[in-house]
Structure formats: C-alpha cells, structure tokens
Amino acid sequence: MVELSNFTSFFVANWKLNGSFQFISQYLESLNKEKFTKKCVVLCPPSPYLNYVKDLSKHSFIGAQDCSCFEEGAYTGEISTKILSDIGINFCIVGHSERRKYFKESNEAVKDKTLKLIENRIIPIICIGETLEEKNSNRTNEILNKQINESVPESANEHNSIIAYEPVWAIGTGKTPTLNEIEDSHKFIRKINKKFLNFKILYGGSVNIKNSKQISDIKNVDGALIGGASLKIEEFIKIIINSSWFNFSY
Ligand code: 13P
C-alpha cells in the first residue's frame, strides 16, 4: 500500500471517459520528464487503459475510477478490487458524484467498495459533496455529515484512505466555492470524527491553472482531484509545479 505520509500533497487526474493509446503516449512522454518530490501524482484512466498507463508511467501512481462491490463470480462487466490489486493498481476513486447520479450509487455501496479496497491494500479516494440545491438550502454540512457517516467504514484511517470534497455544482462548470467555503467544508469534515483530523482531504471541482495556487494555499486542503484540466498535460504539470501544498499538522 502506498505510504500516504511520504507525500505533502496529492494530484489526482480523473480522466473520466476520455483517452486513447495516442493520447496516453503523448501525455506520458511529457509527464515522465517531470519528477515531483513529495508530491503524489495519481493517474486515473478508463479501466481498459490501466495497464498501459502503468507500463508507460515512470513516476506516477495509477488509480481506477471505480470498482465492484463483488469479489468474484457471475457479475458480468464488473471489475473487482482483487483484480485491480492483481494488476498493481494503487488507488481507486469511489462514490464520485457522476457514479452516484448516473449509476444510482448509494452511500452503502460506496462503503462496501471502500471496505474491499482497503482489504486489498488499494487506497480509496472517497468522494463526497453537496448539490447546488442542497447548498442553496444551507444543507452542505448536513449532507457531508451523512455521506461521511454512511460511506466511510470503521476500518478507514488516515493511512489507508483519502477523502475528496467535490461540490457537485462545481464539477465541470467552471464555478468553485469561495476559498473560505472550501476551508470551512474541509474543517467541518475533519471535525465529524476525530479520526479524520489527519486524513488527507482533497478538493475537486473546476480546479485549473488559474485557481489552483490559491486553493493550494488553504490550510486544510491536501491536494486536488482534477477532471477537465488534468486532460491537458501542460496545464496539469503547471498545476502541480505551482502549488504550494505543504505538510501541515492539524
Ligand atoms: P472538473 O475538474 O472537470 O470540474 O472535474 C472534477 C472531478 O469530477 C474530478 O473527479
């Protein structure tokens, strides 16, 4: 399992449903030239490309975008944590709002997947976040509390799991919360249970080269989960280089 405490900050590229062999080879040709001390870079391609990215990548870790609740058997189309572990995958995004929305993924399913990932020594990146409607009715903290309590299992701790705060309304929209709002939500998450105090908590939602430096200055944010901007390799590299994430103790 990757030793999270070795890193001061985390940059997770969620490619979503994008990529091709050509895209990957050009991407890694650029990324492989960079070596980021203490900054953990995780590439999450669509699953058919996991192995290819793993083979080409020199300094990055590889993450899946989802996994199955099932271990093995007659579950057509599923990819188990055991298989992900077998092919050497280090991280896996779980509970992304797009999975919650389009594939009706519940907190219970997210918890189940997280448990299995931990058992297979893969680090889950557990996504939580409120919708615009929930934000506008001042329910952000209530939603975060519920998602955390229902989707993070007992066995999750600061060494084997990561949390990503991704306000649904900020994903792919170019809109972001204010810096204070991000700080408040991250602080709130840490306080839900004292075991979250030293968790790595990433921010995701329209992170780009224009706002990443400021977001990286927020004390309670340990890195970023990046969609659109992670597909542009020059921008992704700049985001990593320009960030000022340090290892704070809370
Ligand atoms: P964008 O960076 O495109 O807003 O996507 C964020 C996200 O969903 C990362 O998981």
Side-chain angles (χ1 to χ4, degrees):
M1 188 174 258
V2 176
E3 181 56 61
L4 297 181
S5 62
N6 284 343
F7 300 97
T8 57
S9 50
F10 295 79
F11 302 84
V12 183
N14 179 7
W15 291 358
K16 308 190 181 185
L17 193 49
N18 297 289
S20 65
F21 283 123
Q22 193 191 3
F23 168 83
I24 293 166
S25 62
Q26 286 170 355
Y27 194 97
L28 283 166
E29 203 180 301
S30 301
L31 191 60
N32 283 341
K33 290 184 195 140
E34 312 287 335
K35 195 154 192 303
F36 310 104
T37 333
K38 294 262 178 196
K39 294 183 175 184
C40 179
V41 177
V42 183
L43 305 179
C44 302
S47 53
Y49 295 120
L50 284 167
N51 256 330
Y52 186 60
V53 174
K54 185 170 184 293
D55 288 346
L56 289 197
S57 167
K58 282 205 181 128
H59 314 295
S60 313
F61 294 103
I62 314 300
Q65 296 176 13
D66 184 35
C67 62
S68 178
C69 294
F70 299 107
E71 206 60 64
E72 63 186 355
Y75 302 104
T76 303
E78 290 291 86
I79 298 174
S80 70
T81 51
K82 215 165 131 188
I83 290 173
L84 291 176
S85 162
D86 200 32
I87 63 169
I89 298 310
N90 316 103
F91 293 83
C92 181
I93 298 169
V94 269
H96 192 282
S97 61
E98 287 150 14
R99 299 230 39 104
R100 292 177 187 265
K101 180 177 172 192
Y102 301 122
F103 304 96
K104 308 284 170 257
E105 208 161 278
S106 64
N107 288 334
E108 291 69 29
V110 175
K111 185 176 184 173
D112 212 5
K113 291 176 181 194
T114 302
L115 262 174
K116 296 215 165 49
L117 287 164
I118 294 171
E119 277 165 22
N120 282 284
R121 305 182 62 74
I122 297 170
I123 307 228
I125 300 169
I126 308 160
C127 301
I128 55 169
E130 82 286 359
T131 62
L132 189 58
E133 194 192 349
E134 289 159 349
K135 175 185 163 60
N136 288 342
S137 50
N138 288 322
R139 295 177 58 216
T140 298
N141 288 354
E142 177 201 329
I143 298 300
L144 297 182
N145 193 47
K146 184 173 163 62
Q147 288 178 331
I148 286 265
N149 282 323
E150 293 180 4
S151 43
V152 181
E154 276 290 307
S155 57
N157 62 44
E158 70 202 63
H159 304 291
N160 64 20
S161 303
I162 289 178
I163 291 173
Y165 170 54
E166 294 207 306
V168 179
W169 54 273
I171 295 176
T173 57
K175 293 182 192 142
T176 54
T178 64
L179 300 178
N180 281 342
E181 283 172 333
I182 296 175
E183 159 107 64
D184 286 349
S185 292
H186 281 237
K187 256 196 211 156
F188 176 79
I189 293 165
R190 288 194 196 285
K191 286 190 185 148
I192 290 177
N193 181 317
K194 63 176 187 302
K195 84 167 178 178
F196 297 129
L197 208 62
N198 289 312
F199 256 63
K200 304 292 183 193
I201 306 181
L202 316 185
Y203 169 77
S206 294
V207 173
N208 58 42
I209 189 57
K210 294 199 189 107
N211 59 24
S212 59
K213 170 77 175 73
Q214 281 184 312
I215 294 172
S216 77
D217 286 335
I218 305 175
K219 191 181 163 205
N220 275 289
V221 180
D222 300 294
L225 176 51
I226 309 168
S230 78
L231 292 168
K232 299 171 213 147
I233 186 57
E234 302 309 330
E235 180 164 1
F236 186 50
I237 290 171
K238 276 191 201 144
I239 289 173
I240 302 169
I241 291 174
N242 291 350
S243 73
S244 53
W245 267 293
F246 298 109
N247 211 6
F248 288 109
S249 50
Y250 298 99

